[in-house]
Amino acid sequence: HCGGSFPATIGRVERGWECRPDLCAIDNPNNPRKYCGHFWIDSLAHDPKVLQSVVELLGEDKVALGTDYPFPLGEVPGAGKLIESVEAFDDRLKHKLLWENGLKFLGIDATQFESSA
């Protein structure tokens, strides 16, 4: 779900960490923004501008194709339509989001899919 509420609330969470450490930084000395790009999320935002913003915030290396399968609100059939629709994404970034990052997340080497012919 494109990171859930984390991307949309990181500013508020960070503000709480800065001005109310007695409530928000009790067991964590790290600014919450430090965690951006350190966990994986899926791409299914259902909104191209939201997806673009999340990729900018969390980094293109930690977002992988999401379909919401088997639930009916996803992009099945037609997985990847949202990624393809973001005009600001070049082909290289679309490839990362559509399949390269998913393989990386799963620890699968893409070369095993290359043809030897």
Side-chain angles (χ1 to χ4, degrees):
H1 296 73
C2 213
S5 65
F6 183 83
T9 60
I10 185 60
R12 183 174 177 82
V13 172
E14 181 179 45
R15 178 68 180 144
W17 182 86
E18 291 169 345
C19 72
R20 289 300 309 264
D22 58 314
L23 297 176
C24 301
I26 296 170
D27 295 320
N28 186 4
N30 299 314
N31 183 318
R33 194 171 294 271
K34 179 180 180 182
Y35 297 101
C36 292
H38 290 273
F39 54 89
W40 289 91
I41 65 163
D42 71 75
S43 65
L44 198 54
H46 297 290
D47 184 291
K49 290 184 186 255
V50 170
L51 177 58
Q52 184 178 351
S53 175
V54 167
V55 168
E56 290 171 6
L57 177 67
L58 300 180
E60 65 184 46
D61 294 326
K62 295 294 185 176
V63 180
L65 174 66
T67 65
D68 211 24
Y69 179 83
F71 301 102
L73 296 177
E75 287 189 314
V76 176
K81 287 181 183 177
L82 177 62
I83 292 169
E84 293 285 358
S85 76
V86 181
E87 294 178 9
F89 292 171
D90 61 17
D91 287 342
R92 179 199 58 81
L93 178 53
K94 288 178 182 180
H95 284 268
K96 284 182 85 170
L97 300 178
L98 288 168
W99 60 272
E100 289 175 8
N101 286 349
L103 291 178
K104 184 177 174 184
F105 173 77
L106 295 170
I108 298 173
D109 184 358
T111 59
Q112 72 181 3
F113 300 104
E114 294 175 1
S115 173
S116 59

